[in-house]
């Protein structure tokens, strides 16, 4: 590497920045000779390397051409061979301008394809011999031959002709050649990715010298040199620029130019940044800027790179100002949404009443410091609610385990140090290893992450590959945390966040009300995005290495109750294999004695609710948690998603303490399935343990095996549900009497989800009942009525009754409501019969407190009240097609009573069933009296989201099995019969819906068959790409077990046509309901209303239900007043049906493109439904 440490000021740099072009080895470059000397002369020149690379193609071509000549010599009339375009070696052997390829013996083809060619040759020889024999025995007047047998005729008919055989051989050879070339390119791409990641890892750990050394190793080895790309040189140059090492940077630039790569924008950014750090002379800087201008690059583009840190940006600006004192940084343009639907959200002239939190600034700043402490720690221990009173033996074992943990820490520290030393030695020899990734964190911190993973493993174990992936991701995230905390980021974050809280705190004022994202961006420049996550291969390799180290080191003594000795010990983690379906997977399972000693649960910081308001989303990688990096699953698409996500995350929550006490009482008392509290595994059915007699009949053995399998499956499901409830209740107990927030993420369709997975409002009835708004609001004149209506809705008893009838029912049941609130476990227990019992009980308590207060209108309510869409997917379809019949069925049209589409479908199915029963259809006769709303509801609800006949049959089968009086022998036949009737009923009731679904499905099929994934842009401007591709497999062999990672979201693979076409209709509708939710959220925020959503179910305070209903309907009408299907067709046509300037189809499958174009232009016709009727529909959302 010392030979490359060179710099000759402006002269050396100006040579390196000349126009690109691969130099010829016959040209004498004095600068290069002086730079590398003997070292470069000893290696092959680039021209020679190109020739050597082509020799392999020449050899393959010679083999194929020899095969063609052989077939032609054997009377094969036509042979088609795919030619390989290669650069021919000159006739003079390469003496003029290069060396000739080394002399070789005659190439003997080998491998499977060569053996196949040999078998084909032998078959052709036998066929030709038969033809010659027939020709010899042929006379001028051939004698009549006996008619061949049918078997002989079939054999002769199936025998390939020599001409066809030659063509098949040529096609096979071409296909094999293409496959080999494709595999070679994929292998090279993987090697390039590993090298690039290694270089970036070296930069992240401050080991620029090692990155430079690796680059030189590849540069000086001809076989490896072809793997180098400009991004690798730019990476190392950026590292030297950060250190201010100008000579080393120039040497990298010269290597880059020597391979014919021209400096790009990132190259010039590093060069000028380094010049700014070393205070380079103005002449050199000017020459650099002049060369950059000649390359067609603008000076302003240098500062558009988002990954630049403030220090890098300052050094770059210092160099530019030295050469151009009058230069001014480009000012960011004010953000104005180009989407018509969002103009009112960003308007300055209308009335604005943005909501504020109920907490003062000082308390919010204290909460910020608490959250910062949690994220810096990386994890949070939480006391388990399922703890038992420990015995003296358990207490002693825990004390011994604490001492044993220190021993593990020391051994893991030593093992990691030895591993790093070994990998460092291999890296210095030019091998890409995991060394930089092991250096991103101190060994002490890596040890703590390993032990955290050990203590968080569930008792039933976890798949090895998932644990390895999770371990590597935690390492990467902790690395990002260290980077952010070591660069003065914390102090700047605290100052900026304190100013941001001025917009939210209850005791502060801002000069001009604005959205949180606008306020945050006005407080300072955008922060550089965090580094991209390491590639999957590196993550799995790193996680596998760390996990195998953990398994190897951690061991337990024979008895933890006694003092640990040097005697017999057992592993803490056992590696076992099990089957999931037909797949064998490896599990890591902790020792039962180790599991019994755990008294706390450990959660990652990103799995916990936040203790302060989340950061506003300003990009796809900046928002949510303070330091912990989370990436949006979808794309922000500019403006609409970021404010909506921020608004949803700014809602403050608290735990319903009284309800939590009741749930814990049931949970610790063996649970209750009817109430949704899962029982412990000890309550699972026991498999029969009786010994079978030797003469037991085979069918009895089979029944026993089935029963054992069923019991094990039930036990596994019960354990999973119990653990889920344990996490939720432990977190609820941990957050009791505290205020917390739920930052939100977004999937690829635009649907929003809370980031904390274990405790949020998207869960079951129990999870929703435990949460209430931290900020209460007085009920006002109509709030109590809405509480009562909400209570009746939760019971599910009056779904087809109008609102005034539900209100009357609540007043009539007031005694039971008050009894449920005062004596939930000892009274009449009316609440337990509801569809959502725990939410019903929480509402009973809230109604009781309001009714018993002196002034119900002044009572401050914290309970969320829901407004749920009436089969929202069908609502969007009916609005898209302006289908009057469908719109009336799903309450888009005004009516006095709510229309129940599920009951309507059930009634239509009953009509069809009765007709078949009269014709004598047995299954139709058996189903008499069993077809109800509940049987068909799930299928009707999901058919608009792409459920198939098979999936619908399974749903109906499940409902039929729940009917105690239905004859179970007819379940399969009845479910198969009913699903066809349900689909038939939907086709008649929602004809427009089926037409739109068919149009979307066929368009997606044609697009994916052309090799593209379906993509579109929502009415709010959010880009969406369906991530359904053919499955790719990554296999890592060796070690404790081979790791296989299957992925169907690899965009480098061909799209999965079946998933693309089946997924397009439901995903498109999901993107529309997400747009409706975001529009409603933003307009509610502008009006000062609390708003939270569970997809198509909107939550707010009881006093604001009327206002949110008005906003919800207005935004639905505004959304569907846009030409949604027409805009979609136009976008898909522009994106996938490109035409040239003359209007002709672009090159490719013109027939396929014509079909797609025809399909896209056949947009389904709309009906005559008037969207304005939605504004007057009481039961549109209710």
């Amino acid at each position: 590497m010392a030979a490359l440490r060179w710099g000759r000021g402006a002269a050396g740099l100006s040579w390196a920045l000349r126009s690109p072009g691969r130099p010829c080895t016959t040209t004498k470059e004095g600068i290069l000779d002086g730079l590398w000397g003997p070292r470069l002369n000893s290696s092959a020149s680039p021209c020679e390397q190109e020739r050597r690379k082509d020799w392999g193609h020449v050899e393959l071509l010679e083999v194929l051409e020899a095969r063609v000549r052989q077939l032609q010599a054997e009377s094969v009339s036509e042979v088609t061979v795919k030619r390989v375009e290669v650069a021919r070696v000159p006739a003079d052997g390469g003496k003029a301008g290069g060396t000739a390829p080394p002399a070789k013996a005659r190439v003997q083809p080998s491998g499977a394809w060569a053996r196949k060619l040999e078998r084909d040759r032998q078959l052709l020889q036998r066929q030709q011999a038969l033809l010659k024999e027939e020709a010899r025995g042929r006379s001028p007047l051939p004698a009549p031959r006996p008619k061949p047998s049918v078997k002989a005729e079939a054999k002769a008919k199936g025998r390939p002709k020599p001409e066809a055989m030659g063509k098949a051989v040529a096609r096979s050879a071409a296909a094999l050649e293409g496959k080999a070339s494709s595999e070679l390119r994929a292998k090279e791409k993987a090697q390039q990715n590993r090298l690039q990641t290694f270089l970036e890892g070296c930069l992240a750990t401050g080991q620029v010298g090692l990155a430079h050394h690796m680059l030189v190793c590849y540069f000086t080895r001809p076989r490896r040199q072809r793997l180098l790309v400009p991004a690798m040189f730019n990476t190392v140059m950026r590292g030297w620029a950060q250190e201010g090492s100008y000579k080393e940077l120039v040497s990298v630039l010269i290597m880059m130019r020597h391979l014919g790569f021209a400096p790009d924008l990132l190259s010039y950014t590093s060069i000028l940044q380094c010049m700014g750090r070393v205070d380079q002379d103005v002449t050199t800087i000017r020459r650099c800027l002049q060369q950059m201008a000649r390359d067609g690059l603008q000076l302003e583009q240098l500062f558009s790179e988002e990954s630049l840190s403030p220090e890098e940006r300052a050094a770059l600006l210092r160099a530019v100002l030295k050469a151009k004192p009058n230069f001014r940084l480009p000012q960011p343009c004010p953000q104005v949404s180009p989407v018509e639907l969002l103009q009112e959200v960003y308007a300055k002239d209308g009335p604005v009443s943005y909501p504020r939190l109920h907490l003062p600034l000082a308390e919010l700043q204290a909460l910020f410091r608490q959250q910062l402490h949690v994220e810096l720690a990386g994890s949070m221990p939480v006391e388990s609610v399922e703890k038992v009173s420990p015995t003296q033996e358990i207490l002693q074992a825990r004390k011994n385990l604490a001492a044993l943990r220190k021993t593990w820490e020391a051994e893991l520290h030593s093992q990691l140090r030895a591993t790093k030393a070994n990998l460092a030695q291999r890296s210095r020899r030019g091998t890409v290893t995991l060394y930089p990734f092991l250096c991103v964190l101190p060994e002490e911190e890596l040890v703590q992450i390993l032990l955290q993973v050990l203590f968080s493993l569930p008792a039933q174990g976890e798949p090895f590959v998932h644990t390895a992936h999770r371990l590597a991701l935690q390492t990467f995230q902790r690395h990002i945390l260290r980077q952010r905390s070591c660069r003065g980021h914390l102090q700047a974050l605290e100052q900026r966040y304190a100013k941001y809280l001025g917009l939210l705190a209850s005791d502060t004022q801002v000069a001009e009300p604005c959205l949180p994202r606008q306020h945050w961006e006005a407080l300072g420049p955008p922060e550089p995005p965090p580094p991209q996550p390491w590639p999957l291969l590196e993550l799995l390799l790193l996680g596998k290495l760390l996990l195998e180290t953990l398994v190897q080191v951690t061991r337990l003594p024979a008895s933890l109750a006694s003092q640990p000795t040097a005697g017999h010990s057992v592993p803490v983690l056992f590696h076992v294999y099990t089957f999931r379906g037909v797949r064998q997977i490896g599990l890591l399972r902790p020792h039962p004695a180790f599991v019994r000693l755990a008294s706390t649960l450990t959660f990652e910081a990103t799995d916990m609710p936040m203790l302060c308001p989340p950061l506003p989303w300003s990009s796809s990688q900046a928002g949510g948690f303070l330091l912990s990096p989370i990436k949006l699953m979808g794309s922000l698409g500019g403006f609409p998603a970021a404010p909506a996500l921020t608004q949803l995350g700014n809602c403050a929550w608290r735990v319903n303490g009284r309800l939590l006490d009741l749930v814990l009482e049931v949970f610790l008392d063996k649970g209750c399935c009817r109430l949704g509290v899962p029982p412990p595994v000890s309550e699972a059915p026991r498999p029969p343990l009786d010994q079978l007699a030797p003469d037991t009949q085979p069918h009895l053995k089979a029944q026993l095996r089935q029963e054992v399998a069923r019991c094990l499956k039930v036990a596994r499901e019960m354990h999973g549900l119990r653990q889920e409830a344990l996490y939720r209740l432990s977190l609820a107990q941990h957050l009791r009497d505290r205020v917390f927030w739920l930052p939100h993420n977004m999937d690829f369709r635009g649907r929003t989800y809370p980031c904390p997975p274990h405790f949020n409002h998207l869960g079951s009835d129990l999870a929703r009942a435990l949460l209430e708004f931290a900020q209460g609001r007085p009920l006002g004149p109509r709030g109590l009525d809405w509480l009562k209506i909400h209570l009746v809705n939760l019971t599910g008893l009056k779904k087809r009754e109008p609102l005034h009838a539900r209100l009357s029912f609540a007043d009539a049941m007031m005694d039971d409501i008050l009894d449920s609130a005062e004596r939930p476990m000892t009274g009449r227990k009316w609440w337990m019969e509801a569809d959502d019992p725990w939410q019903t009980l929480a509402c009973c308590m809230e109604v009781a407190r309001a009714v018993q207060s002196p002034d119900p209108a002044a009572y401050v309510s914290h309970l969320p009240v829901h407004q749920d869409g009436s089969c929202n997917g069908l609502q969007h379809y009916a609005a898209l097609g302006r289908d009057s019949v469908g719109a009336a069925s799903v309450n888009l049209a005004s009516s006095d009573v709510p229309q129940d589409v599920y009951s309507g479908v059930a009634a239509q199915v009953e009509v069809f069933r009765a007709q078949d029963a009269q014709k004598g259809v047995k299954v139709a006769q058996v189903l008499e009296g069993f077809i109800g709303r509940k049987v068909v509801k799930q299928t009707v609800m999901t058919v608009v989201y792409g459920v198939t006949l098979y999936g619908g049959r399974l749903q109906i089968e499940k409902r039929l099995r729940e009917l105690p009086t239905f004859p179970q022998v007819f379940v399969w036949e009845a479910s198969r019969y009913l699903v066809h009737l349900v689909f038939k009923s939907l086709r008649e009731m929602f004809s427009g819906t089926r037409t739109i679904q068919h149009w979307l499905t066929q368009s997606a099929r044609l697009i994916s068959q052309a090799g593209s994934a379906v993509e579109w842009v929502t009415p709010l401007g959010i880009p969406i790409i369906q991530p359904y591709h053919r499955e790719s497999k990554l296999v890592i062999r060796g070690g404790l077990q081979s790791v296989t990672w299957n992925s169907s979201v690899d965009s480098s693979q061909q799209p999965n046509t079946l998933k693309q076409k089946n997924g397009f209709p439901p995903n498109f509708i999901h993107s529309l309901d997400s747009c409706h939710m975001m529009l409603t959220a933003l307009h509610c925020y502008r009006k000062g209303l609390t708003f939270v959503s569970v997809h198509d179910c909107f939550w707010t305070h009881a006093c604001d239900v009327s206002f949110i209903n008005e906003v919800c309907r207005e935004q639905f009408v505004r959304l569907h007043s846009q030409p949604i299907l027409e805009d979609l067709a136009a976008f898909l046509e522009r994106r996938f049906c490109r035409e040239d300037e003359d209007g002709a189809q672009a090159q490719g499958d013109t027939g396929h493109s014509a079909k797609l174009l025809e399909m896209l232009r056949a947009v389904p016709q709309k009906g005559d439904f008037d969207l304005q009727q939605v504004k007057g529909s009481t039961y549109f959302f209710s």
Side-chain angles (χ1 to χ4, degrees), residues 339-558:
V339 181
E340 178 185 349
L341 291 171
L342 295 174
Q343 297 297 330
E344 292 183 11
V345 175
Y346 291 92
K348 301 284 187 180
D349 51 355
V352 176
S353 178
Y354 293 125
R356 287 178 169 271
L357 296 174
H358 63 293
L359 302 174
L361 179 62
E363 187 171 351
L364 288 174
Q365 289 176 331
L367 292 175
F368 164 79
R369 289 187 285 271
Q370 295 178 24
Q371 177 65 25
L372 191 63
H373 175 75
V374 171
E375 294 192 35
L376 287 173
S379 61
M380 169 65 71
V382 174
E383 195 75 20
S384 173
V385 297
E386 205 176 26
K387 58 185 178 182
V388 294
S389 300
T391 63
Q392 189 64 33
E393 183 180 4
I394 292 179
L395 292 175
Q396 180 61 39
R398 288 179 179 172
K399 188 181 298 184
N400 294 339
L401 182 62
L404 195 60
R405 175 171 178 146
K406 296 182 178 179
T407 304
W408 292 343
E409 290 177 356
E411 293 181 1
L412 286 171
H413 192 281
S414 175
Q415 186 69 24
L416 288 174
R417 187 184 297 117
T419 303
K420 288 170 64 175
N422 179 39
L423 294 178
Q425 186 177 6
R426 293 177 55 196
S427 297
R428 285 192 291 270
R429 291 198 296 263
T431 303
V432 174
T433 66
L434 295 173
Y435 176 70
F437 307 101
L438 285 176
C439 296
V440 295
L441 294 177
E443 292 156 9
E444 296 80 4
E445 196 163 350
L446 274 177
V447 168
Q448 294 305 317
I449 293 176
L450 286 172
L451 293 179
Q452 176 185 327
V453 169
L454 173 65
F455 281 86
S456 65
L457 279 177
Q460 75 274 17
E462 188 176 6
F464 182 90
V465 61
H466 294 167
T467 310
H469 188 251
R470 177 165 63 92
L471 178 57
L473 277 180
Q474 289 182 13
T475 305
F476 171 77
Q477 292 173 352
R478 203 67 60 86
H479 161 59
I480 300 300
L481 282 177
R482 287 186 61 86
Q483 278 190 335
R484 290 182 170 179
S485 59
C486 292
R487 294 179 177 176
H489 178 82
L490 295 182
Q491 184 178 1
L493 175 64
E494 186 169 4
Q495 295 173 355
R496 188 171 181 177
Y497 190 81
K499 297 177 182 177
Y500 168 69
L501 288 177
L503 182 72
L504 306 177
S506 60
D507 58 347
T508 57
Q509 296 292 331
V510 292
E512 182 179 359
C514 59
L515 293 171
R517 178 189 178 185
Q518 294 175 317
H519 187 63
W520 177 263
E521 292 176 346
L523 296 175
E527 300 177 4
Q532 290 292 328
W534 298 326
L536 179 62
L537 177 61
E538 263 62 35
L539 286 173
L540 292 178
L541 286 171
L542 177 63
K544 187 171 182 289
L545 174 65
L546 293 175
L547 203 52
E548 289 172 348
T549 303
L550 180 66
V551 173
Q552 177 185 353
V553 168
T554 53
R555 300 184 69 84
L556 284 172

